[in-house]
Amino acid sequence: ISGARALGVFGDSITTDHISPAGSIKDSSPAGKWLIEHGVLNADFNSYGSRRGNHEIMMRGTFANVRIKNLMIPAKSDGSRVEGGITIHQPSGEQMSIYDAAMKYIHDGVPTMVFAGEEYGTGSSRDWAAKGTQLLGVKAVVARSFERIHRSNLVGMGVLPLQFIGSDSVQSLHINVDERFELQGLEHDIKPQQQVSLVIHRPNGQTQHVKLLLRIDTPIEVDYYRHGGILPFVLRQLLAA
């Protein structure tokens, strides 16, 4: 993973309810706009839950919770944080929905990463929290700590969970908006819970190397990740039988 951008930078206790598509679908949201484009009337939008079998809707609702706070967005004049699923696309500096930015990055071949604090992925084990993350092109999630089931679900979808070591955090490393990121140490054999290096490329030309703990915890999870997730792994096992 090289030349990556941050799709979102979040604080502590980001739950699967923050990440997963939930609630009613607004006509101004990426999911609402997609439904309108396909001839669905506003009165028939219903909720994300009723459309959980449609990946076009669900991926557009990932990280779109009205209460989620992306720390990449500047604080308001009173110091409070802007809420909602928005981010800043780089290098344009344009503010847009997380879905729209993710699609731009995918189109341009730019990998993305998500950064967070403690207890990332707590709450009920919503499968779409990991599915939507993968469909948005996120290659890795770096957090201070993970909820057990969501960490496992990320690996099952082929997304790397990585954990800050010691006192390192988004705040201490000054991860904000315009850095580029590279992961080193995954080029050859992957071992459970090995250390890898996050290289932070600052816009002023400086680089910083930070050790991370790879939260692929078991040998079978290594196999899942190598195959791009648990579904490709199982399909290849069946084909080889």
Side-chain angles (χ1 to χ4, degrees), residues 191-212:
K191 295 182 175 65
Q193 294 207 333
Q194 72 177 66
Q195 286 194 4
V196 300
S197 182
L198 174 70
V199 184
I200 305 172
H201 296 275
R202 309 285 183 186
N204 62 5
Q206 293 182 341
T207 60
Q208 183 176 2
H209 292 251
V210 179
K211 290 295 183 184
L212 300 174

Side-chain angles (χ1 to χ4, degrees), residues 63-232:
F63 293 112
N65 188 289
V66 295
R67 291 288 175 260
I68 199 168
K69 298 175 183 177
N70 187 352
L71 304 183
M72 295 170 67
I73 306 299
K76 298 178 184 178
S77 57
D78 62 1
S80 62
R81 283 289 174 180
V82 176
E83 296 180 326
I86 52 176
T87 191
I88 295 178
H89 173 266
Q90 292 292 357
S92 69
E94 185 181 351
Q95 194 172 122
M96 62 183 68
S97 73
I98 285 178
Y99 169 79
D100 287 337
M103 292 305 103
K104 282 181 176 290
Y105 286 130
I106 290 174
H107 178 269
D108 294 337
V110 177
T112 54
M113 301 172 67
V114 167
F115 294 87
E118 301 278 3
E119 301 175 334
Y120 183 83
T122 55
S124 56
S125 57
R126 297 180 183 272
D127 55 338
W128 267 106
K131 289 179 185 176
T133 299
Q134 190 272 345
L135 287 171
L136 291 180
V138 175
K139 302 302 181 186
V141 177
V142 186
R144 287 276 301 159
S145 63
F146 289 90
E147 191 276 335
R148 177 179 59 87
I149 296 176
H150 184 61
R151 182 209 61 81
S152 177
N153 287 346
L154 286 173
V155 177
M157 290 306 300
V159 179
L160 280 173
L162 297 158
Q163 193 165 317
F164 288 116
I165 296 174
S167 60
D168 285 345
S169 66
V170 165
Q171 289 75 25
S172 70
L173 298 172
H174 305 290
I175 294 171
N176 187 14
V177 175
D178 46 9
E179 299 89 357
R180 281 186 175 273
F181 305 96
E182 182 180 347
L183 283 173
Q184 297 178 348
L186 300 167
E187 300 83 4
H188 305 295
D189 288 339
I190 298 175
K191 295 182 175 65
Q193 294 207 333
Q194 72 177 66
Q195 286 194 4
V196 300
S197 182
L198 174 70
V199 184
I200 305 172
H201 296 275
R202 309 285 183 186
N204 62 5
Q206 293 182 341
T207 60
Q208 183 176 2
H209 292 251
V210 179
K211 290 295 183 184
L212 300 174
L213 178 67
L214 177 64
R215 288 303 312 276
I216 293 180
D217 291 351
T218 64
I220 189 62
E221 287 185 341
V222 171
D223 289 336
Y224 293 160
Y225 180 73
R226 281 177 176 157
H227 285 264
I230 191 169
L231 182 57

